mmCIF file of all heavy atoms in Angstrom:
data_model
loop_
_atom_site.group_PDB
_atom_site.id
_atom_site.type_symbol
_atom_site.label_atom_id
_atom_site.label_comp_id
_atom_site.label_asym_id
_atom_site.label_seq_id
_atom_site.Cartn_x
_atom_site.Cartn_y
_atom_site.Cartn_z
ATOM 1 N N GLU A 203 8.463 -4.642 6.864
ATOM 2 C CA GLU A 203 7.853 -4.376 8.163
ATOM 3 C C GLU A 203 6.553 -5.158 8.413
ATOM 4 O O GLU A 203 6.158 -5.282 9.558
ATOM 5 C CB GLU A 203 7.583 -2.877 8.318
ATOM 6 C CG GLU A 203 6.447 -2.285 7.445
ATOM 7 C CD GLU A 203 6.765 -2.114 5.949
ATOM 8 O OE1 GLU A 203 7.876 -2.457 5.553
ATOM 9 O OE2 GLU A 203 5.869 -1.704 5.205
ATOM 10 N N SER A 204 5.915 -5.660 7.366
ATOM 11 C CA SER A 204 4.578 -6.240 7.552
ATOM 12 C C SER A 204 4.352 -7.428 6.632
ATOM 13 O O SER A 204 5.101 -7.603 5.654
ATOM 14 C CB SER A 204 3.505 -5.181 7.280
ATOM 15 O OG SER A 204 3.608 -4.754 5.930
ATOM 16 N N TRP A 206 1.932 -7.578 4.628
ATOM 17 C CA TRP A 206 1.590 -6.921 3.341
ATOM 18 C C TRP A 206 2.852 -6.730 2.520
ATOM 19 O O TRP A 206 2.876 -7.013 1.320
ATOM 20 C CB TRP A 206 0.940 -5.560 3.657
ATOM 21 C CG TRP A 206 0.342 -4.860 2.459
ATOM 22 C CD1 TRP A 206 -0.966 -4.820 2.109
ATOM 23 C CD2 TRP A 206 1.061 -4.092 1.471
ATOM 24 N NE1 TRP A 206 -1.119 -4.075 0.961
ATOM 25 C CE2 TRP A 206 0.111 -3.612 0.564
ATOM 26 C CE3 TRP A 206 2.386 -3.765 1.260
ATOM 27 C CZ2 TRP A 206 0.436 -2.828 -0.556
ATOM 28 C CZ3 TRP A 206 2.732 -2.987 0.159
ATOM 29 C CH2 TRP A 206 1.747 -2.517 -0.727
ATOM 30 N N ARG A 207 3.906 -6.207 3.168
ATOM 31 C CA ARG A 207 5.141 -5.890 2.434
ATOM 32 C C ARG A 207 5.782 -7.156 1.881
ATOM 33 O O ARG A 207 6.306 -7.186 0.774
ATOM 34 C CB ARG A 207 6.110 -5.169 3.381
ATOM 35 C CG ARG A 207 7.383 -4.641 2.755
ATOM 36 C CD ARG A 207 7.167 -3.504 1.792
ATOM 37 N NE ARG A 207 6.350 -2.469 2.350
ATOM 38 C CZ ARG A 207 5.667 -1.570 1.627
ATOM 39 N NH1 ARG A 207 5.738 -1.562 0.316
ATOM 40 N NH2 ARG A 207 4.926 -0.653 2.200
ATOM 41 N N ASP A 280 3.237 1.495 -4.910
ATOM 42 C CA ASP A 280 2.603 1.473 -3.587
ATOM 43 C C ASP A 280 2.365 2.862 -3.006
ATOM 44 O O ASP A 280 1.222 3.223 -2.769
ATOM 45 C CB ASP A 280 3.446 0.565 -2.635
ATOM 46 C CG ASP A 280 3.080 0.706 -1.192
ATOM 47 O OD1 ASP A 280 1.908 1.017 -0.913
ATOM 48 O OD2 ASP A 280 3.932 0.475 -0.344
ATOM 49 N N ARG A 281 3.430 3.638 -2.752
ATOM 50 C CA ARG A 281 3.264 4.939 -2.105
ATOM 51 C C ARG A 281 3.638 6.092 -3.034
ATOM 52 O O ARG A 281 4.449 5.924 -3.930
ATOM 53 C CB ARG A 281 4.124 5.005 -0.837
ATOM 54 C CG ARG A 281 3.754 3.942 0.171
ATOM 55 C CD ARG A 281 4.556 4.034 1.442
ATOM 56 N NE ARG A 281 4.239 2.937 2.343
ATOM 57 C CZ ARG A 281 4.808 2.737 3.525
ATOM 58 N NH1 ARG A 281 5.778 3.552 3.927
ATOM 59 N NH2 ARG A 281 4.458 1.749 4.290
ATOM 60 N N PHE A 299 -5.183 5.350 -0.842
ATOM 61 C CA PHE A 299 -5.166 5.267 0.624
ATOM 62 C C PHE A 299 -6.218 6.162 1.272
ATOM 63 O O PHE A 299 -6.759 5.843 2.323
ATOM 64 C CB PHE A 299 -3.792 5.636 1.153
ATOM 65 C CG PHE A 299 -2.682 4.711 0.716
ATOM 66 C CD1 PHE A 299 -1.519 5.230 0.162
ATOM 67 C CD2 PHE A 299 -2.768 3.346 0.862
ATOM 68 C CE1 PHE A 299 -0.476 4.395 -0.235
ATOM 69 C CE2 PHE A 299 -1.750 2.489 0.468
ATOM 70 C CZ PHE A 299 -0.599 3.019 -0.084
ATOM 71 N N PRO A 334 0.405 6.176 3.063
ATOM 72 C CA PRO A 334 -0.733 5.487 3.657
ATOM 73 C C PRO A 334 -1.150 6.039 5.005
ATOM 74 O O PRO A 334 -2.349 6.129 5.300
ATOM 75 C CB PRO A 334 -0.279 4.016 3.762
ATOM 76 C CG PRO A 334 1.192 4.030 3.587
ATOM 77 C CD PRO A 334 1.521 5.258 2.804
ATOM 78 N N ARG A 338 -4.789 7.697 4.908
ATOM 79 C CA ARG A 338 -5.822 6.901 5.631
ATOM 80 C C ARG A 338 -6.367 7.722 6.799
ATOM 81 O O ARG A 338 -7.575 7.752 7.046
ATOM 82 C CB ARG A 338 -5.213 5.586 6.159
ATOM 83 C CG ARG A 338 -5.024 4.572 5.052
ATOM 84 C CD ARG A 338 -4.276 3.338 5.514
ATOM 85 N NE ARG A 338 -3.946 2.494 4.346
ATOM 86 C CZ ARG A 338 -3.029 1.550 4.339
ATOM 87 N NH1 ARG A 338 -2.327 1.277 5.413
ATOM 88 N NH2 ARG A 338 -2.797 0.845 3.233
ATOM 89 N N PHE A 362 3.706 0.567 11.434
ATOM 90 C CA PHE A 362 3.167 -0.539 10.651
ATOM 91 C C PHE A 362 3.653 -1.909 11.136
ATOM 92 O O PHE A 362 3.553 -2.874 10.403
ATOM 93 C CB PHE A 362 3.526 -0.393 9.140
ATOM 94 C CG PHE A 362 2.750 0.668 8.412
ATOM 95 C CD1 PHE A 362 3.418 1.673 7.712
ATOM 96 C CD2 PHE A 362 1.364 0.671 8.379
ATOM 97 C CE1 PHE A 362 2.709 2.655 7.009
ATOM 98 C CE2 PHE A 362 0.652 1.628 7.680
ATOM 99 C CZ PHE A 362 1.323 2.625 6.996
ATOM 100 N N HIS A 388 -3.977 1.465 11.191
ATOM 101 C CA HIS A 388 -3.698 1.725 9.780
ATOM 102 C C HIS A 388 -3.197 0.478 9.048
ATOM 103 O O HIS A 388 -3.004 0.545 7.844
ATOM 104 C CB HIS A 388 -2.673 2.851 9.609
ATOM 105 C CG HIS A 388 -3.244 4.221 9.905
ATOM 106 N ND1 HIS A 388 -2.582 5.385 9.554
ATOM 107 C CD2 HIS A 388 -4.381 4.613 10.507
ATOM 108 C CE1 HIS A 388 -3.303 6.431 9.933
ATOM 109 N NE2 HIS A 388 -4.379 5.992 10.529
ATOM 110 N N ASN A 389 -2.883 -0.594 9.749
ATOM 111 C CA ASN A 389 -2.628 -1.847 9.017
ATOM 112 C C ASN A 389 -2.896 -3.053 9.952
ATOM 113 O O ASN A 389 -3.083 -2.920 11.170
ATOM 114 C CB ASN A 389 -1.227 -1.913 8.390
ATOM 115 C CG ASN A 389 -0.129 -2.398 9.311
ATOM 116 O OD1 ASN A 389 -0.252 -2.374 10.526
ATOM 117 N ND2 ASN A 389 0.967 -2.844 8.728
ATOM 118 N N ASP A 417 -5.628 -3.712 5.195
ATOM 119 C CA ASP A 417 -4.736 -4.618 4.422
ATOM 120 C C ASP A 417 -5.534 -5.822 3.907
ATOM 121 O O ASP A 417 -5.706 -5.983 2.725
ATOM 122 C CB ASP A 417 -3.524 -5.110 5.200
ATOM 123 C CG ASP A 417 -2.361 -4.127 5.168
ATOM 124 O OD1 ASP A 417 -2.459 -3.095 4.491
ATOM 125 O OD2 ASP A 417 -1.344 -4.380 5.835
HETATM 126 O O1 AHR B 642 2.085 1.149 1.898
HETATM 127 C C1 AHR B 642 1.229 0.116 2.220
HETATM 128 C C2 AHR B 642 1.272 -0.169 3.681
HETATM 129 O O2 AHR B 642 2.592 -0.456 4.079
HETATM 130 C C3 AHR B 642 0.450 -1.347 4.151
HETATM 131 O O3 AHR B 642 -0.839 -1.052 4.572
HETATM 132 C C4 AHR B 642 1.239 -1.764 5.345
HETATM 133 O O4 AHR B 642 0.884 -3.007 5.877
HETATM 134 C C5 AHR B 642 2.616 -1.666 4.804
HETATM 135 O O5 AHR B 642 3.596 -1.850 5.672
#
Side-chain angles (χ1 to χ4, degrees):
E203 72 285 0
S204 61
W206 188 101
R207 186 68 50 202
D280 168 29
R281 300 182 183 178
F299 298 129
R338 284 173 190 162
F362 287 124
H388 287 195
N389 86 340
D417 276 356

